[in-house]
Amino acid sequence: MTDVWYAVSDSTRRQVLARVAAGACSVGEIADALPVSMAAVSQHLKILREAGLVSMTPAGRRRIYQARLEGLAELRAELDTYWTQALHSFKQVAEASYLEEREQP
């Protein structure tokens, strides 16, 4: 399975993910919206699928891709953990600075 952070590290893959998150679509529809070939879009979608961020449903000769809400929720939960840690650290620094200022004559 591809690491989710590797999957979103590429700007083109983020654009593909954003397009798929906006609504289910085919490789051709994604390629029409981006300055890359259908083959390149397919490769990016493969990585996003392996990371669990998108799913594919066959529809005749086409394959329809859509965002996997579960995969996006996992990514969001990890980001929230980092954000919470950063806010906690900021709070500690701010409180320590405030106490230092109060103690000075």
Side-chain angles (χ1 to χ4, degrees):
M1 184 153 184
T2 300
D3 178 73
V4 69
W5 293 105
Y6 170 76
V8 297
S9 68
D10 182 87
S11 63
T12 301
R13 274 195 294 278
R14 288 192 305 272
Q15 290 176 329
V16 170
L17 182 58
R19 174 59 185 91
V20 171
C25 53
S26 68
V27 173
E29 291 168 327
I30 298 166
D32 287 345
L34 299 174
V36 295
S37 68
M38 286 179 53
V41 169
S42 292
Q43 289 299 315
H44 288 299
L45 285 165
K46 178 182 177 192
I47 292 169
L48 292 168
R49 280 183 61 203
E50 290 172 354
L53 294 172
V54 300
S55 63
M56 184 272 297
T57 305
R61 293 180 52 196
R62 297 177 358 147
R63 292 183 177 107
I64 304 301
Y65 292 86
Q66 60 187 31
R68 258 190 88 245
L69 298 180
E70 301 86 356
L72 295 174
E74 292 169 15
L75 181 61
R76 170 73 188 265
E78 195 167 340
L79 283 173
D80 284 346
T81 299
Y82 298 144
W83 183 247
T84 299
Q85 291 170 347
L87 287 176
H88 179 71
S89 295
F90 177 74
K91 179 183 177 205
Q92 288 179 322
V93 169
E95 288 174 348
S97 177
Y98 174 76
L99 291 174
E100 285 177 16
E101 288 179 10
R102 287 190 62 196
E103 293 175 356
Q104 293 182 5

